[in-house]
């Protein structure tokens, strides 16, 4: 496996771009964005949520947007697999995926050889809104992603998943060093704080790609938090945000120091270091809830 000269610096490109009106337009623009990311030296290119149809599921008849769902082995998806191999760059492509019963909100990750290494469907669909007409994913998993700076353990969340600490915690326990987060909503202080917290409490990196401010109900703000709060060479804690985009359309590249992250994970006290899982059984009890908490649990 060849490694680049800059060692364990993983370059993550967040494709904060405006979608077109059709899947065909998004295919063409998505290819161009990936090519630009590769020219910037990226190891991974990540799309915002449901790129295949631009997350255009609000204020439209349900049957119209459900008809835009595409198969996981569609020409659209396969094109990005071929592109990953051609560019020698991992690509996280997102789609409204055809699925029995109702579509899924899905991320498919191709490695730099064009191999499909991870398929993740959004677990925490926004069932208080139109996403109640989607099929939720079944769980969280990680994959070993081969990159030019070596292997990295990668998992995924999608948008609303970030609001549930269990999402990132499960991925951490599965070995994740990096969580990819396609997104489609306003990234304000509280949501950004959630992402910062998920990175901090699990000692991992969180890379989020949002749509720019030109897209309704979005405002850019794509970000990467590296999860490294303390360094031996610095007094006190440091800012774990290594990239914070503005609202403008663009391709934003962050440099994640994997060696620094791994050294930190070996010596610090967060993540799995001092957990007491036997005392957390209430978290998995779907009967117990305070009176003001909704009880319409989904398995």
């Amino acid at each position: 496996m060849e490694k680049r000269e800059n060692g364990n610096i993983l370059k993550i490109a967040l494709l904060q771009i405006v979608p077109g009106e059709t899947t065909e337009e998004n295919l063409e623009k998505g290819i161009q964005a990936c090519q630009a990311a590769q020219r910037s030296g990226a190891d991974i290119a990540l799309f915002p949520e449901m790129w295949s149809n631009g997350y255009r599921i609000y204020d439209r008849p349900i049957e119209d947007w459900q008809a835009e769902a595409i198969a996981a082995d569609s020409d659209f998806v396969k094109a990005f697999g071929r592109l990953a191999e051609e560019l020698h760059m991992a690509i996280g492509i997102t789609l409204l995926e055809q699925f029995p019963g109702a579509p899924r909100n899905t991320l498919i990750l191709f490695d730099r050889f064009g191999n499909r290494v991870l398929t993740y469907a959004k677990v925490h669909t926004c069932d208080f809104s139109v996403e109640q007409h989607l099929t939720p994913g079944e769980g969280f998993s990680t994959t070993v992603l081969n990159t030019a700076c070596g292997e990295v353990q990668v998992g995924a969340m999608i948008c609303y998943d970030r609001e549930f600490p269990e999402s990132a915690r499960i991925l951490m326990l599965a070995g994740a060093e990096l969580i990819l987060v396609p997104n489609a909503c306003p990234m304000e202080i509280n949501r950004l704080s959630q992402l910062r917290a998920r990175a901090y409490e699990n000692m991992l990196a969180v890379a989020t790609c949002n749509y720019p401010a030109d897209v309704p109900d979005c405002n850019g703000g794509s970000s990467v938090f590296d999860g490294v709060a303390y360094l031996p060479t610095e007094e006190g804690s440091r800012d774990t945000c290594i990239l914070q985009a503005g609202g403008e359309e663009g391709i934003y590249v962050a440099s994640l120091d994997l060696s620094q992250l791994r050294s930190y994970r070996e010596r610090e006290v967060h993540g799995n270091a001092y957990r007491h899982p036997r005392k957390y059984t209430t978290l998995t009890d779907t009967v117990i809830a305070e009176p003001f908490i909704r009880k319409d649990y989904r398995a």
Side-chain angles (χ1 to χ4, degrees):
M1 175 199 321
E2 90 258 21
K3 292 189 178 182
R4 69 158 71 91
E5 293 181 357
N6 59 353
N8 282 67
I9 302 299
L10 183 74
K11 293 194 174 182
I12 307 165
L14 306 177
L15 310 183
Q16 185 174 289
I17 53 179
V18 178
E21 294 294 320
T22 67
T23 300
E24 291 73 22
E25 290 178 18
N26 291 336
L27 173 61
E28 182 178 351
K29 185 164 187 176
I31 289 173
Q32 293 172 356
C34 287
Q35 291 169 336
Q38 192 266 350
R39 290 194 295 270
S40 298
D43 298 296
I44 304 173
L46 178 64
F47 282 89
E49 186 175 4
M50 208 183 289
W51 175 254
S52 67
N53 82 331
Y55 197 74
R56 294 173 58 248
I57 64 175
Y58 282 87
D59 301 321
R60 299 176 62 200
I62 295 166
E63 57 272 15
D64 284 4
W65 62 259
Q66 285 190 335
E68 295 171 351
I70 59 176
D73 62 351
S74 63
D75 290 342
F76 177 90
V77 174
K78 288 179 179 177
F80 287 101
R82 292 191 298 271
L83 185 64
E85 181 181 18
E86 175 188 327
L87 299 177
H88 213 52
M89 177 186 73
I91 296 175
I93 183 62
T94 58
L95 62 146
L96 178 63
E97 180 197 358
Q98 285 179 357
F99 199 76
R104 301 198 305 181
N105 185 340
T106 300
L107 163 75
I108 294 176
L109 179 63
F110 291 100
D111 69 12
R112 62 183 177 139
F113 306 112
N115 300 312
R116 187 183 310 225
V117 295
L118 181 69
T119 299
Y120 169 70
K122 187 176 185 177
V123 169
H124 298 100
T125 49
C126 299
D127 293 338
F128 51 82
S129 186
V130 68
E131 283 195 3
Q132 66 185 280
H133 302 289
L134 295 172
T135 298
E138 291 299 319
F140 300 92
S141 61
T142 63
T143 187
V144 175
L145 185 67
N146 184 303
T147 75
C149 62
E151 294 181 340
V152 57
Q153 194 89 3
V154 177
M157 305 187 299
I158 296 178
C159 200
Y160 192 48
D161 284 324
R162 97 190 141 256
E163 306 212 7
F164 298 84
E166 297 86 352
S167 306
R169 182 49 52 100
I170 290 170
L171 289 169
M172 178 275 293
L173 291 172
E177 299 173 292
L178 168 65
I179 300 177
L180 302 176
V181 188
N183 195 82
C185 70
M187 293 310 299
E188 40 72 55
I189 187 170
N190 295 304
R191 288 172 174 145
L192 288 168
S193 297
Q194 288 173 330
L195 296 167
R196 182 187 295 273
R198 300 296 87 85
Y200 170 76
E201 64 202 9
N202 292 297
M203 297 196 298
L204 47 71
V206 178
T208 303
C209 183
N210 195 27
Y211 286 103
D214 307 280
V215 175
D217 202 37
C218 291
N219 67 341
S222 297
S223 63
V224 179
F225 296 92
D226 69 7
V228 178
Y230 310 104
L231 289 176
T233 56
E234 296 185 15
E235 184 177 348
S237 64
R238 61 181 283 275
D239 187 354
T240 64
C241 183
I242 61 172
L243 184 148
Q244 178 70 66
E248 301 79 14
E249 181 176 29
I251 296 169
Y252 298 87
V253 181
S255 296
L256 175 64
D257 189 332
L258 289 175
S259 294
Q260 177 178 273
L261 175 60
R262 287 164 179 166
S263 174
Y264 180 76
R265 285 159 68 98
E266 289 175 357
R267 69 176 185 271
E268 274 299 338
V269 300
H270 307 296
N272 196 34
Y274 294 100
R275 294 171 65 247
H276 294 272
R278 293 184 184 87
K279 300 177 183 179
Y280 308 154
T281 55
T282 301
L283 292 174
T284 59
D285 191 330
T286 58
V287 176
I288 298 174
E290 294 295 330
F292 61 86
I293 298 176
R294 290 180 58 185
K295 299 187 180 75
D296 53 342
Y297 293 99
R298 300 190 70 160

